[in-house]
Amino acid sequence: MTDARPRTMDPGQAGRRDGAADGAPAPIPRQVDVLVAGASFGGLAAAQRLAPAGDGSLRVALVDPQPVGEGVTSACAAPVRLIEAAGAAGAIQQVHHDLVIHIGTRAWRWPLPEPFCTFDYRRFCSLALDRTSASVVRAAVRGRDAGAVRTSGGEVRARFLIDASGWRAALAGSPRAPRWRAFGLETEVDGQADPGLHFHFVPEAPDGYAWVFPCGGRVRVGILSYRGRSSLRGALERFLARWGLRARGFHGGFLAGGPDEPVRDGVFVVGDAGGHCLPLTGEGIRTALLAGWTCGSLVAEAARGRLSAEEARRAYRSYVLSSRRSFRALRWLNNVVIALPPGLLAAAAALAGRPPARTFLLRRYLEIFR
């Protein structure tokens, strides 16, 4: 039996990070080749492919209302290979080789097909930003008018538009189809917990789960509601109280899952803006990075005249929608988890945890957006 309880924990300030992202905001440009709304995982990944460091052949503006690296909403866990591919290995805090599922007094440890890690968000953004020559523009995107993007700093015209602004999709607008939307709330405390990414199905989260993610000398603890309930502070405090802990700050937000049309009204959509967060697990960093890199590469080819805009749109649409069946399967499992009583859920976890089934499920899961 694995004990994933945070131990020897003096509650610390949630969301505290060391260091700040590089890159002072640039003046508002009036004309660029590509405008990317949102400077988190998907936006930074797209910018890395559009404008690699040292390559100024395309004018790329990375637009976000907050300084790059501020406003963390994620639990910050992802495959090691992707954090390294983003040039952000220096942000890794702890490597994990197992997924651990807790139901009642039982626990199942599933070896992961590849190592994951917990990492520092601000440091990740700083290092990822070093890999692009895109201009950082601190402004809020407010929509489009007659071919121009309206921002809080003025209008910008761009040949290509990418929306990586989060579930609200500030640039692309509302999705055409309904999508799954969850809500997660997290705090961070000093202490240690057993290695692994721990998921707890507990009474405090009747329509979701709680998580415990060790990150070096600290532990991230959170609650997720599959139904998108945003009043989770009391539930998280009760979960922490199991070990006599108290939170000193919270961060979180909505997670949008279920890919909509990948290009809406000419705008390429990436990450939560495109519904790329995975139902069941709530994982969104991996899919945002992979979609961002793919989108950025295709748009760069189109901007340089090596592909037509229509060819880039078709290729990106095919890439995203190839995983639509996997999203539907995860949404179905999402509903099953909510409906099953703890005893049956434990039986299902024991069955799925047998080596052949477990290996198949995890590998298929990690193939989404690969």
Side-chain angles (χ1 to χ4, degrees):
M1 179 107 37
T2 300
D3 182 1
R5 296 176 296 173
R7 299 188 297 270
T8 65
M9 298 196 208
D10 236 342
Q13 290 186 347
R16 188 179 67 193
R17 300 286 186 269
D18 296 324
D22 298 326
I28 302 292
R30 298 305 170 204
Q31 180 77 47
V32 295
D33 293 305
V34 187
L35 183 146
V36 182
S40 190
F41 300 110
L44 287 167
Q48 287 184 337
R49 294 295 188 267
L50 288 161
D55 181 352
S57 58
L58 293 179
R59 295 167 297 169
V60 178
L62 193 58
V63 183
D64 198 288
Q66 298 190 83
V68 179
E70 297 297 322
V72 61
T73 61
S74 168
C76 292
V80 171
R81 64 181 172 87
L82 296 188
I83 303 305
E84 291 176 341
I92 293 174
Q93 296 168 309
Q94 188 167 342
V95 175
H96 302 281
H97 298 278
D98 301 290
L99 172 72
V100 190
I101 299 172
H102 302 259
I103 304 172
T105 59
R106 301 185 64 188
W108 294 266
R109 183 173 288 270
W110 294 12
L112 290 163
E114 62 175 306
F116 271 58
C117 65
T118 41
F119 60 91
D120 181 275
Y121 178 71
R122 184 179 293 179
R123 181 66 175 151
F124 170 91
C125 290
S126 175
L127 293 170
L129 188 60
D130 287 343
R131 291 291 187 96
T132 176
S133 59
S135 298
V136 177
V137 177
R138 195 175 305 167
V141 171
R142 293 176 173 167
R144 291 183 292 158
D145 282 326
V149 175
R150 290 183 287 109
T151 79
S152 58
E155 290 190 347
V156 184
R157 293 185 177 273
R159 295 164 55 204
F160 295 91
L161 302 174
I162 297 175
D163 192 337
S165 63
W167 66 272
R168 290 185 178 89
L171 187 55
S174 300
R176 296 190 176 101
R179 62 173 59 158
W180 170 80
R181 196 172 79 185
F183 187 87
L185 188 69
E186 182 183 69
T187 189
E188 190 171 299
V189 294
D190 291 328
Q192 300 291 329
D194 285 350
L197 302 177
H198 297 264
F199 294 83
H200 294 253
F201 293 87
V202 290
E204 292 89 343
D207 59 350
Y209 61 81
W211 70 85
V212 176
F213 289 178
C215 50
R218 298 173 69 81
V219 183
R220 296 190 186 114
V221 184
I223 293 276
L224 181 135
S225 165
Y226 288 139
R227 293 193 171 104
R229 291 185 301 112
S230 57
S231 299
L232 300 180
R233 178 169 176 168
L236 180 51
E237 288 175 335
R238 290 192 299 273
F239 184 65
L240 286 165
R242 290 175 175 231
W243 302 293
L245 302 172
R246 295 179 62 186
R248 292 183 180 175
F250 303 89
H251 57 261
F254 286 101
L255 302 82
D260 187 60
E261 182 58 40
V263 184
R264 299 204 294 270
D265 298 324
V267 180
F268 293 77
V269 286
V270 172
D272 275 10
H276 297 167
C277 187
L278 297 175
L280 187 62
T281 63
E283 184 188 13
I285 297 171
R286 175 169 60 91
T287 49
L289 290 173
L290 291 170
W293 284 324
T294 300
C295 180
S297 296
L298 290 168
V299 172
E301 290 292 287
R304 293 187 174 99
R306 298 168 185 162
L307 288 177
S308 69
E310 181 56 32
E311 287 172 329
R313 287 192 288 267
R314 283 202 306 265
Y316 185 60
R317 185 176 189 275
S318 176
Y319 170 78
V320 171
L321 296 186
S322 66
S323 293
R324 180 174 275 180
R325 291 179 64 183
S326 296
F327 274 82
R328 288 173 179 165
L330 290 173
R331 179 69 181 273
W332 179 82
L333 287 171
N334 215 142
N335 294 332
V336 169
V337 168
I338 294 174
L340 286 179
L344 289 179
L345 185 60
L351 184 63
R354 294 177 179 175
R358 180 186 69 217
T359 301
F360 172 79
L361 291 171
L362 289 176
R363 290 195 180 280
R364 287 295 299 271
Y365 173 80
L366 290 173
E367 287 172 358
I368 298 173
F369 275 27
R370 184 178 289 274

Coordinates of all heavy atoms in Angstrom, one line a residue, residues 161-164 169 171-177 179 258-276 291-292 294-295 298-299 312-324 327 369:
L161 N -3.5 34.2 -37.6 CA -3.9 34.4 -36.2 C -3.9 33.0 -35.5 O -4.5 32.1 -36.1 CB -5.2 35.0 -36.1 CG -5.4 36.4 -36.8 CD1 -6.9 36.9 -36.7 CD2 -4.5 37.4 -36.1
I162 N -3.4 33.0 -34.3 CA -3.4 31.8 -33.5 C -4.0 32.1 -32.1 O -3.5 33.1 -31.5 CB -2.0 31.1 -33.3 CG1 -1.5 30.7 -34.7 CG2 -2.1 30.0 -32.4 CD1 0.0 30.2 -34.6
D163 N -5.0 31.4 -31.7 CA -5.6 31.7 -30.4 C -5.2 30.6 -29.4 O -5.6 29.4 -29.5 CB -7.1 31.7 -30.5 CG -7.8 32.2 -29.2 OD1 -7.2 32.2 -28.2 OD2 -8.9 32.7 -29.3
A164 N -4.4 30.9 -28.4 CA -3.9 30.0 -27.4 C -4.2 30.7 -26.0 O -3.5 30.6 -25.1 CB -2.5 29.7 -27.5
A169 N -11.2 31.6 -25.3 CA -10.9 31.8 -26.7 C -11.2 33.2 -27.1 O -12.1 33.6 -27.9 CB -11.8 30.8 -27.5
L171 N -9.8 35.3 -29.0 CA -9.6 35.7 -30.4 C -10.5 34.9 -31.3 O -11.1 35.5 -32.3 CB -8.2 35.5 -30.8 CG -7.7 36.0 -32.2 CD1 -8.0 37.5 -32.4 CD2 -6.2 35.7 -32.4
A172 N -10.7 33.6 -31.1 CA -11.5 32.8 -32.0 C -13.0 32.9 -31.7 O -13.8 32.5 -32.5 CB -11.0 31.4 -32.0
G173 N -13.3 33.3 -30.5 CA -14.7 33.3 -30.1 C -15.2 31.9 -29.6 O -14.5 31.0 -29.5
S174 N -16.5 31.9 -29.3 CA -17.1 30.7 -28.7 C -17.0 29.5 -29.6 O -17.2 29.7 -30.8 CB -18.5 31.0 -28.2 OG -18.6 32.0 -27.3
P175 N -16.8 28.3 -29.1 CA -16.8 27.1 -30.0 C -18.2 26.9 -30.5 O -19.2 27.3 -29.9 CB -16.4 26.0 -29.0 CG -16.8 26.5 -27.7 CD -16.6 28.0 -27.7
R176 N -18.2 26.2 -31.6 CA -19.5 25.9 -32.3 C -20.3 24.7 -31.6 O -21.5 24.6 -31.7 CB -19.3 25.5 -33.7 CG -18.7 26.7 -34.5 CD -18.7 26.4 -36.0 NE -18.3 27.6 -36.8 CZ -17.0 27.7 -37.3 NH1 -16.2 26.7 -37.1 NH2 -16.7 28.8 -38.0
A177 N -19.5 23.9 -31.0 CA -20.1 22.7 -30.3 C -19.9 22.7 -28.8 O -18.9 23.2 -28.3 CB -19.5 21.4 -30.9
R179 N -18.8 21.6 -25.2 CA -17.6 20.9 -24.8 C -17.6 20.6 -23.3 O -18.3 21.3 -22.5 CB -16.3 21.6 -25.2 CG -16.2 23.0 -24.5 CD -14.8 23.6 -24.8 NE -14.6 23.8 -26.2 CZ -13.7 24.6 -26.6 NH1 -13.0 25.4 -25.8 NH2 -13.5 24.8 -27.9
G258 N -12.6 18.5 -25.5 CA -13.5 18.1 -26.6 C -13.2 19.0 -27.8 O -13.7 20.1 -27.9
P259 N -12.3 18.6 -28.6 CA -11.8 19.5 -29.7 C -13.0 19.9 -30.6 O -13.7 19.1 -31.1 CB -10.8 18.6 -30.5 CG -11.0 17.2 -30.0 CD -11.6 17.3 -28.7
D260 N -13.1 21.2 -30.8 CA -14.0 21.9 -31.7 C -13.3 22.0 -33.0 O -12.2 21.5 -33.2 CB -14.4 23.2 -31.1 CG -15.6 23.8 -31.9 OD1 -16.6 23.2 -32.0 OD2 -15.4 24.9 -32.4
E261 N -13.9 22.7 -33.9 CA -13.2 23.0 -35.2 C -11.9 23.6 -35.0 O -11.8 24.7 -34.3 CB -14.1 24.0 -36.0 CG -13.6 24.3 -37.4 CD -13.4 23.0 -38.3 OE1 -14.2 22.1 -38.2 OE2 -12.3 22.9 -38.9
P262 N -10.8 23.0 -35.4 CA -9.4 23.5 -35.1 C -9.1 24.9 -35.7 O -8.2 25.6 -35.2 CB -8.5 22.4 -35.7 CG -9.4 21.2 -35.8 CD -10.7 21.7 -36.1
V263 N -9.8 25.3 -36.8 CA -9.6 26.6 -37.4 C -11.0 27.3 -37.5 O -11.8 26.8 -38.2 CB -8.9 26.5 -38.8 CG1 -8.6 27.9 -39.3 CG2 -7.6 25.7 -38.7
R264 N -11.2 28.3 -36.7 CA -12.5 29.0 -36.6 C -12.4 30.3 -37.2 O -11.7 31.2 -36.7 CB -13.0 29.0 -35.2 CG -13.2 27.7 -34.5 CD -14.2 27.7 -33.4 NE -13.8 28.5 -32.3 CZ -13.2 28.0 -31.2 NH1 -12.8 26.7 -31.2 NH2 -12.9 28.8 -30.2
D265 N -13.1 30.5 -38.3 CA -13.1 31.9 -39.0 C -11.7 32.3 -39.3 O -11.4 33.5 -39.1 CB -13.8 32.9 -38.1 CG -15.3 32.6 -37.9 OD1 -15.9 32.0 -38.8 OD2 -15.8 32.8 -36.8
G266 N -10.9 31.3 -39.7 CA -9.5 31.7 -40.1 C -8.5 31.7 -39.0 O -7.3 31.8 -39.2
V267 N -9.0 31.5 -37.8 CA -8.1 31.5 -36.6 C -7.7 30.1 -36.2 O -8.6 29.3 -35.9 CB -8.7 32.3 -35.4 CG1 -7.8 32.3 -34.2 CG2 -9.1 33.7 -35.8
F268 N -6.5 29.8 -36.1 CA -6.0 28.5 -35.6 C -6.1 28.5 -34.1 O -5.7 29.5 -33.4 CB -4.5 28.3 -36.0 CG -4.3 28.1 -37.4 CD1 -4.2 29.2 -38.3 CD2 -4.0 26.8 -38.0 CE1 -4.0 29.0 -39.7 CE2 -3.8 26.6 -39.3 CZ -3.8 27.7 -40.2
V269 N -6.7 27.5 -33.5 CA -7.0 27.4 -32.1 C -6.1 26.3 -31.4 O -6.0 25.2 -32.0 CB -8.5 27.3 -31.7 CG1 -9.2 28.6 -31.9 CG2 -9.1 26.2 -32.5
V270 N -5.5 26.6 -30.3 CA -4.6 25.7 -29.6 C -4.9 25.7 -28.1 O -5.3 26.7 -27.5 CB -3.1 26.2 -29.8 CG1 -2.1 25.5 -29.0 CG2 -2.7 26.2 -31.3
G271 N -4.7 24.5 -27.5 CA -4.9 24.3 -26.1 C -6.3 24.4 -25.7 O -7.2 24.0 -26.4
D272 N -6.6 25.0 -24.5 CA -7.9 25.1 -24.0 C -8.8 25.9 -24.9 O -10.1 25.7 -25.0 CB -8.0 25.7 -22.6 CG -7.7 24.7 -21.5 OD1 -7.4 23.6 -21.8 OD2 -7.9 25.1 -20.3
A273 N -8.3 26.8 -25.7 CA -9.1 27.6 -26.6 C -9.7 26.7 -27.7 O -10.8 27.0 -28.2 CB -8.2 28.7 -27.3
G274 N -9.0 25.6 -28.0 CA -9.5 24.6 -28.9 C -10.1 23.4 -28.3 O -10.4 22.4 -29.0
G275 N -10.3 23.4 -26.9 CA -10.8 22.2 -26.2 C -9.9 21.0 -26.2 O -10.3 19.9 -26.2
H276 N -8.6 21.3 -26.0 CA -7.6 20.3 -26.1 C -7.2 19.6 -24.7 O -6.4 18.8 -24.7 CB -6.3 20.8 -26.7 CG -6.5 21.2 -28.1 ND1 -5.5 22.0 -28.8 CD2 -7.5 21.0 -29.0 CE1 -6.0 22.2 -30.1 NE2 -7.2 21.7 -30.2
A291 N 0.1 20.4 -29.8 CA -0.8 21.2 -30.8 C -0.1 22.5 -31.1 O -0.1 22.9 -32.3 CB -2.1 21.4 -30.2
G292 N 0.5 23.2 -30.1 CA 1.2 24.4 -30.4 C 2.4 24.3 -31.4 O 2.6 25.0 -32.3
T294 N 2.8 21.8 -33.5 CA 2.3 21.4 -34.9 C 1.7 22.6 -35.6 O 2.0 22.9 -36.8 CB 1.2 20.3 -34.7 OG1 1.8 19.2 -34.1 CG2 0.7 19.9 -36.1
C295 N 0.9 23.4 -34.9 CA 0.3 24.6 -35.4 C 1.3 25.6 -35.9 O 1.3 26.1 -37.0 CB -0.7 25.2 -34.4 SG -1.5 26.7 -35.0
L298 N 3.2 24.5 -39.1 CA 2.3 24.7 -40.3 C 2.1 26.1 -40.7 O 2.2 26.5 -41.8 CB 1.0 24.0 -40.1 CG 1.0 22.5 -40.0 CD1 -0.3 21.9 -39.5 CD2 1.4 21.9 -41.4
V299 N 1.8 27.0 -39.7 CA 1.6 28.4 -40.0 C 2.9 29.0 -40.5 O 2.9 29.9 -41.4 CB 1.1 29.1 -38.7 CG1 1.0 30.6 -39.0 CG2 -0.3 28.6 -38.4
A312 N -2.3 24.6 -44.9 CA -2.0 24.6 -43.5 C -3.2 24.4 -42.6 O -3.2 23.6 -41.7 CB -1.4 25.9 -43.1
R313 N -4.3 25.0 -43.0 CA -5.6 24.7 -42.3 C -6.0 23.3 -42.3 O -6.4 22.7 -41.3 CB -6.7 25.7 -42.8 CG -6.5 27.1 -42.4 CD -7.8 27.9 -42.7 NE -8.0 28.1 -44.2 CZ -7.6 29.1 -44.9 NH1 -6.9 30.1 -44.3 NH2 -7.8 29.2 -46.1
R314 N -6.0 22.7 -43.5 CA -6.4 21.3 -43.6 C -5.5 20.4 -42.8 O -6.0 19.4 -42.2 CB -6.4 20.9 -45.1 CG -7.5 21.4 -45.9 CD -7.7 20.5 -47.2 NE -6.5 20.5 -48.0 CZ -6.3 21.2 -49.0 NH1 -7.1 22.2 -49.4 NH2 -5.1 21.1 -49.7
A315 N -4.2 20.6 -42.9 CA -3.2 19.7 -42.2 C -3.4 19.8 -40.6 O -3.4 18.8 -39.9 CB -1.8 20.1 -42.5
Y316 N -3.7 21.0 -40.2 CA -3.9 21.2 -38.7 C -5.2 20.6 -38.3 O -5.3 20.0 -37.2 CB -3.8 22.7 -38.3 CG -3.9 22.9 -36.9 CD1 -3.0 22.4 -36.0 CD2 -5.0 23.7 -36.3 CE1 -3.0 22.6 -34.6 CE2 -5.1 23.9 -34.9 CZ -4.1 23.3 -34.1 OH -4.2 23.5 -32.7
R317 N -6.2 20.8 -39.1 CA -7.5 20.2 -38.8 C -7.4 18.7 -38.7 O -8.0 18.1 -37.8 CB -8.5 20.6 -39.9 CG -9.9 20.2 -39.6 CD -10.9 20.7 -40.6 NE -12.3 20.5 -40.2 CZ -12.9 19.3 -40.4 NH1 -12.3 18.3 -41.0 NH2 -14.2 19.1 -40.0
S318 N -6.7 18.1 -39.7 CA -6.6 16.6 -39.7 C -5.8 16.2 -38.4 O -6.2 15.2 -37.8 CB -5.8 16.2 -40.9 OG -5.6 14.8 -40.9
Y319 N -4.8 16.9 -38.0 CA -4.0 16.5 -36.9 C -4.9 16.5 -35.6 O -4.9 15.6 -34.8 CB -2.8 17.5 -36.7 CG -2.1 17.4 -35.4 CD1 -1.2 16.3 -35.2 CD2 -2.3 18.2 -34.3 CE1 -0.5 16.2 -34.0 CE2 -1.6 18.1 -33.1 CZ -0.7 17.1 -33.0 OH -0.1 17.0 -31.8
V320 N -5.6 17.6 -35.4 CA -6.4 17.7 -34.2 C -7.6 16.7 -34.2 O -7.8 16.0 -33.2 CB -6.9 19.1 -34.0 CG1 -7.9 19.2 -32.8 CG2 -5.8 20.1 -33.8
L321 N -8.3 16.6 -35.2 CA -9.5 15.8 -35.3 C -9.2 14.3 -35.3 O -10.1 13.5 -35.1 CB -10.4 16.2 -36.4 CG -11.0 17.7 -36.3 CD1 -12.0 17.9 -37.4 CD2 -11.6 17.9 -34.9
S322 N -8.0 13.9 -35.6 CA -7.6 12.5 -35.6 C -7.7 11.9 -34.2 O -7.8 10.7 -34.0 CB -6.2 12.3 -36.1 OG -5.2 12.9 -35.2
S323 N -7.8 12.8 -33.2 CA -7.9 12.3 -31.8 C -9.3 12.4 -31.2 O -9.5 12.2 -30.0 CB -6.9 13.0 -30.9 OG -5.6 12.7 -31.2
R324 N -10.3 12.8 -32.1 CA -11.6 13.1 -31.6 C -12.2 11.9 -30.9 O -12.9 12.0 -29.9 CB -12.5 13.6 -32.7 CG -13.9 13.9 -32.3 CD -14.7 14.5 -33.5 NE -14.5 16.0 -33.5 CZ -15.1 16.7 -34.4 NH1 -15.8 16.2 -35.4 NH2 -14.9 18.0 -34.4
F327 N -11.0 11.5 -27.4 CA -11.6 12.4 -26.5 C -13.0 11.9 -26.1 O -13.4 12.0 -24.9 CB -11.7 13.8 -27.2 CG -10.5 14.7 -27.0 CD1 -9.4 14.5 -27.9 CD2 -10.4 15.6 -26.0 CE1 -8.3 15.3 -27.7 CE2 -9.3 16.4 -25.9 CZ -8.2 16.3 -26.7
F369 N -2.5 13.1 -29.7 CA -1.8 14.3 -30.2 C -0.3 14.0 -30.4 O 0.5 14.9 -30.6 CB -2.0 15.5 -29.3 CG -3.2 16.3 -29.5 CD1 -4.3 15.7 -30.1 CD2 -3.3 17.6 -29.2 CE1 -5.5 16.5 -30.3 CE2 -4.4 18.4 -29.4 CZ -5.5 17.8 -29.9

